[in-house]
């Protein structure tokens, strides 16, 4: 009878903003919305049958049968919601639109970051406390302190490479590394002062102050 059904299939790369405050133990909520811009004004093009009750709509989730497992993220939960109504088109006329939104709850795999970043950082923080325990006569106190500072700098560069650029939030772990680096720098300055006092000639008079 000349009836033709055409079901187009497309693949859309999408992205969403992330909150890196709790990196690498963060959970992200990503929303992806689709709107039928080319539907007819009488509302004949719909994403889903509106005969569904609200209880049924709340149970709709994203199909994960063809989901490819990602080495960095786990899909924890998903939800689908639809909007259908009239909007002002700008010239005094109302336009009927239909949009569909997908909400994805993603959890990051923290194992890689714990092994390669968090554990080394905690180890360096533990070792750096022994700077004052190192005898002055060994001559290694300054080189030891500089090595610790370089280690913290390397960790900051690693975090900068694996996190998105220009995000509104800075990971708390980055603040911890900066704070530890500052303490190590202060300890190194104290070491300079201690070496200065220790290496004074025996005949040097004590300053008046």
């Amino acid at each position: 009878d000349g009836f033709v059904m055409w079901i187009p299939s497309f693949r859309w790369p999408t992205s969403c903003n992330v909150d890196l405050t709790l990196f690498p133990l963060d959970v992200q909520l990503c929303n992806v919305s689709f709107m039928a811009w080319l539907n007819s004004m009488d509302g004949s093009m719909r994403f889903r049958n509106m005969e569904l009750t609200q209880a049924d709509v709340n149970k709709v989730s994203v199909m994960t049968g063809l989901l490819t497992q990602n080495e960095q993220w786990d899909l924890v939960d998903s939800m689908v919601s639809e909007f259908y109504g009239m909007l002002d088109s700008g010239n005094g006329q109302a336009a009927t639109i239909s949009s569909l939104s997908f909400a994805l709850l993603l959890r990051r795999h923290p194992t890689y970051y714990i092994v390669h970043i968090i554990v080394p950082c905690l180890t360096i923080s533990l070792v750096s406390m022994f700077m004052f325990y190192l005898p002055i006569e060994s001559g290694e106190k300054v080189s030891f302190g500089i090595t610790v500072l370089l280690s913290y700098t390397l960790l900051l560069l690693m975090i900068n490479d694996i996190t998105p650029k220009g995000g509104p939030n800075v990971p708390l772990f980055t603040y911890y590394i900066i704070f530890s680096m500052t303490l190590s720098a202060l300890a190194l300055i104290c070491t300079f002062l201690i070496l200065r006092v220790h290496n004074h000639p025996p005949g040097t008079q004590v300053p008046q102050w």
Side-chain angles (χ1 to χ4, degrees):
D1 58 356
F3 177 79
V4 177
M5 176 180 292
W6 176 54
I7 303 178
S9 178
F10 298 95
R11 185 174 183 177
W12 289 285
T14 62
S15 62
C16 63
N17 296 326
V18 296
D19 184 3
L20 298 175
T21 303
L22 299 180
F23 174 86
L25 305 176
D26 52 333
V27 177
Q28 306 295 338
L29 179 63
C30 293
N31 293 287
V32 182
S33 299
F34 293 91
M35 181 176 293
W37 290 101
L38 300 180
N39 64 322
S40 58
M41 293 298 99
D42 59 357
S44 59
M45 180 177 178
R46 302 301 308 284
F47 281 110
R48 186 163 19 89
N49 189 355
M50 287 303 293
E51 295 179 359
L52 293 175
T53 62
Q54 187 62 33
D56 294 331
V57 171
N58 294 333
K59 297 178 182 178
V60 177
S61 60
V62 177
M63 296 175 57
T64 59
L66 299 178
L67 176 66
T68 301
Q69 293 297 327
N70 187 271
E71 68 277 1
Q72 188 174 359
W73 297 98
D74 271 337
L75 180 60
V76 179
D77 197 5
S78 63
M79 184 181 66
V80 181
S81 59
E82 183 181 33
F83 172 78
Y84 178 76
M86 308 290 290
L87 286 183
D88 188 2
S89 60
N91 55 0
Q93 298 180 354
T96 303
I97 66 168
S98 179
S99 65
L100 197 63
S101 297
F102 300 89
L104 304 177
L105 187 63
L106 306 175
R107 178 183 290 116
R108 190 191 303 270
H109 291 298
T111 306
Y112 173 84
Y113 306 98
I114 292 177
V115 173
H116 291 85
I117 296 181
I118 295 181
V119 173
C121 182
L122 296 179
T123 304
I124 295 173
S125 300
L126 178 64
V127 172
S128 64
M129 293 188 297
F130 290 90
M131 182 185 302
F132 292 103
Y133 188 76
L134 192 64
I136 295 180
E137 290 77 8
S138 65
E140 298 294 334
K141 292 178 70 70
V142 175
S143 59
F144 178 78
I146 294 177
T147 302
V148 171
L149 284 179
L150 292 177
S151 301
Y152 281 125
T153 303
L154 179 61
L155 288 176
L156 280 179
L157 292 176
M158 291 179 60
I159 294 180
N160 182 65
D161 289 338
I162 61 180
T163 54
K165 305 299 185 297
N169 303 102
V170 178
L172 294 177
F173 189 65
T174 301
Y175 287 118
Y176 169 76
I177 294 180
I178 295 176
F179 178 73
S180 300
M181 181 185 299
T182 304
L183 290 181
S184 298
L186 294 176
L188 189 59
I189 294 174
C190 292
T191 301
F192 292 149
L193 298 177
I194 292 173
L195 289 174
R196 175 65 177 174
V197 174
H198 179 77
N199 294 323
H200 268 179
T204 304
Q205 294 184 358
V206 178
Q208 186 65 33
W209 54 270

